[in-house]
Amino acid sequence: MVQHNYHDQTKVIKGTVRPDLKTGAVNPPLHLSSTFAQKDPINLGKYDYSRSGNPTRDILEENIAHLEHGNRGFAFSTGMAAISAAFLSLHQGDHVIVTKDVYGGTFRLITELLPNYGITHTFVDLNDPYELKSAYQKNTKVVYIETPSNPTLKVTDIQAVAKSAHAHGALLFADNTFMTPIFQKPLDLGADLVIHSATKFLSGHSDILAGLIVTKDQELSNTIYFIQNAMGATLGVSDCWLLLRGIKTLKVRLQSEADNALKLARWLEKQPAIKKVNYPGLESDKNYEIQQKQAKSGGAVLSFDVQNEENVRTLVHNLELPIFSVSLGAVETIISYPCTMSHAELDLDEQAKSGITPGLLRLSVGIEDLSDLRQDFQQALEKLSAFEGKTKHEKIS
Ligand SMILES: *Cc1c(COP(=O)(O)O)cnc(C)c1O
């Protein structure tokens, strides 16, 4: 068993490197077995069928639970499968309060699927305490947050929202994909359930799709276990193994990516063609203080506005290093266009309300050398016209 008094990263290495008793192999075996032979017809063993439990998946689930300081972890085939499982804990007639800046796929699930099962929702701007307070109904069971949000990087005060949710008899669910437990531990701040698209930072190499849930207490753990087994969208064994490998290097990758992101954000902020940079690690960002309070870093994702679609096209065509694609959280820098990619599910009006402007690009910064990234942006940004709204001072600095 993993020792509980070690620091998180030590725990992860100790918990993922488990020499095999028979052979001494340092990595856990891939238990590619759907079924498990039983010794006794009455008392079945710990494992019987892989949907209900698999030894390789168990190691992954234990480790994410340790990292998030939770009671139990659960691995799913995708982030959306994990999010769906979390919402399946609700019942007909229940109501959820959801942050306005929710991931596009989560938005689709909440607005287009959950209503079919009698689960209603209210979207709120969680930076406005009054909006949250007035959104509660008698049947509100869950408040659902994502912080920092995607793609405008707005920060929600987890502790404050947890307190409010609990005072109204609701649970707090938090999508922690952008921060990971290395930078932010929502359960320690009062959340009841944490979700990850492990497709992103946790696996970290753009090679698999995966989702994780960690629960804080035993009752909710039992519910999620029941749902995981009943709905059946568990993570395949090979992908569990790859995700375990990703988690071993999570801290070093993320720190290097976040260092690059902060330096790049500071530099981008000063570029004439850029109207605005959203990054909660910037001292100038309006969310800086809350981010400092609840997280160890601003993370590796930022977004910036180059004023219009034409500039977006020019920049994307001229950049040589970033991969232009959906997704984030990998060792390679990825640039994406929320309007047509992650947030295409929102209509123009909804996009505008969420601050997803036609000039907005999202950047997930990788581990490439910072000077190369900066140089690449420099040559591409030079082809854009300057933003006239910038003051002279901002242009020079
Ligand atoms: C990608 C993402 C998801 C969905 O995860 P999938 O693995 O793509 O299903 C959910 N939340 C956030 C914040 C994401 O970035």
Side-chain angles (χ1 to χ4, degrees):
M1 265 318 280
V2 179
Q3 298 278 330
H4 286 264
N5 50 350
Y6 288 130
H7 289 91
D8 291 344
Q9 199 58 28
T10 315
K11 261 192 255 177
V12 169
I13 298 302
K14 197 154 170 38
T16 51
V17 180
R18 300 177 164 196
D20 181 63
L21 293 178
K22 268 194 202 140
T23 64
V26 294
N27 287 307
L30 264 170
H31 286 287
L32 286 166
S33 194
S34 56
T35 184
F36 297 83
Q38 303 300 318
K39 294 197 176 84
D40 183 83
I42 309 301
N43 299 307
L44 300 188
K46 181 177 177 191
Y47 300 106
D48 60 355
Y49 188 62
S50 269
R51 171 159 38 71
S52 318
N54 176 285
T56 310
R57 195 171 84 222
D58 271 1
I59 300 175
L60 168 64
E61 291 177 337
E62 274 169 33
N63 277 285
I64 189 62
H66 281 312
L67 275 179
E68 287 285 9
H69 293 175
N71 173 270
R72 188 162 175 187
F74 303 90
F76 296 87
S77 54
T78 64
M80 284 318 303
I83 293 166
S84 302
F87 279 117
L88 276 182
S89 67
L90 295 167
H91 297 88
Q92 188 176 14
D94 288 350
H95 171 255
V96 291
I97 295 175
V98 185
T99 177
K100 254 182 198 154
D101 306 289
V102 79
Y103 175 74
T106 311
F107 178 85
R108 176 170 51 198
L109 176 76
I110 291 167
T111 56
E112 294 185 45
L113 265 184
L114 294 188
N116 297 343
Y117 302 91
I119 297 162
T120 54
H121 59 268
T122 306
F123 285 106
V124 297
D125 175 357
L126 287 167
N127 289 314
D128 181 346
Y130 180 76
E131 247 192 62
L132 174 61
K133 217 172 155 194
S134 56
Y136 288 103
Q137 301 178 4
K138 265 199 238 99
N139 54 344
T140 303
K141 294 290 160 61
V142 164
V143 177
Y144 187 96
I145 62 170
E146 242 181 83
T147 178
S149 70
N150 178 17
T152 48
L153 285 301
K154 285 192 203 120
V155 179
T156 300
D157 186 331
I158 302 174
Q159 235 166 353
V161 175
K163 225 171 131 187
S164 159
H166 295 156
H168 289 85
L171 298 176
L172 179 63
F173 290 2
D175 182 330
N176 201 28
T177 299
F178 271 44
M179 282 291 106
T180 87
I182 299 298
F183 287 157
Q184 175 173 282
K185 295 195 199 291
L187 298 183
D188 285 353
L189 298 164
D192 300 283
L193 180 148
V194 166
I195 292 163
H196 284 282
S197 169
T199 307
K200 317 291 168 55
F201 292 103
L202 296 184
S203 65
H205 297 77
S206 302
D207 48 7
I208 59 164
L209 296 179
L212 295 167
I213 286 181
V214 180
T215 43
K216 185 147 80 183
D217 75 19
Q218 191 58 48
E219 196 189 329
L220 195 53
S221 299
N222 294 345
T223 306
I224 298 296
Y225 176 70
F226 180 82
I227 293 169
Q228 183 193 36
N229 188 40
M231 87 178 223
T234 53
L235 186 61
V237 176
S238 310
D239 288 350
C240 285
W241 197 95
L242 279 172
L243 183 48
L244 269 171
R245 183 159 80 170
I247 287 176
K248 285 183 204 181
T249 58
L250 173 62
K251 189 178 175 186
V252 284
R253 282 186 283 110
L254 197 64
Q255 263 170 357
S256 160
E257 288 157 6
D259 283 351
N260 276 352
L262 175 60
K263 288 173 188 152
L264 209 54
R266 284 186 179 141
W267 180 83
L268 285 170
E269 207 179 23
K270 294 178 191 149
Q271 302 314 304
I274 291 181
K275 189 170 155 191
K276 188 175 191 295
V277 175
N278 304 307
Y279 181 67
L282 278 177
E283 292 81 350
S284 58
D285 193 281
K286 68 176 183 344
N287 294 305
Y288 180 72
E289 306 261 302
I290 316 174
Q291 185 67 9
Q292 286 287 106
K293 188 183 82 169
Q294 67 187 17
K296 288 190 182 142
S297 161
V301 181
L302 56 95
S303 61
F304 57 92
D305 196 320
V306 291
Q307 311 166 61
N308 54 48
E309 219 174 81
E310 192 192 318
N311 278 349
V312 165
R313 191 170 273 141
T314 310
L315 185 71
V316 166
H317 283 164
N318 283 286
L319 283 171
E320 284 169 18
L321 287 176
I323 306 289
F324 181 57
S325 69
V326 298
S327 202
L328 56 99
V331 288
E332 72 275 14
T333 296
I334 295 175
I335 192 161
S336 58
Y337 188 46
C339 275
T340 58
M341 293 176 158
S342 57
H343 290 69
E345 282 306 317
L346 276 65
D347 63 37
L348 282 179
D349 204 36
E350 288 159 344
Q351 286 188 349
K353 272 193 230 152
S354 304
I356 301 160
T357 46
L360 193 75
L361 283 158
R362 187 186 71 196
L363 191 69
S364 167
V365 184
I367 62 170
E368 297 94 339
D369 197 286
L370 177 70
S371 58
D372 292 331
L373 283 173
R374 207 158 37 199
Q375 218 162 34
D376 192 26
F377 270 96
Q378 177 124 40
Q379 63 78 21
L381 282 167
E382 272 166 12
K383 303 189 169 78
L384 272 53
S385 53
F387 172 56
E388 288 311 318
K390 254 193 176 158
T391 65
K392 220 170 179 181
H393 169 74
E394 279 172 314
K395 274 186 198 162
I396 307 164
S397 57

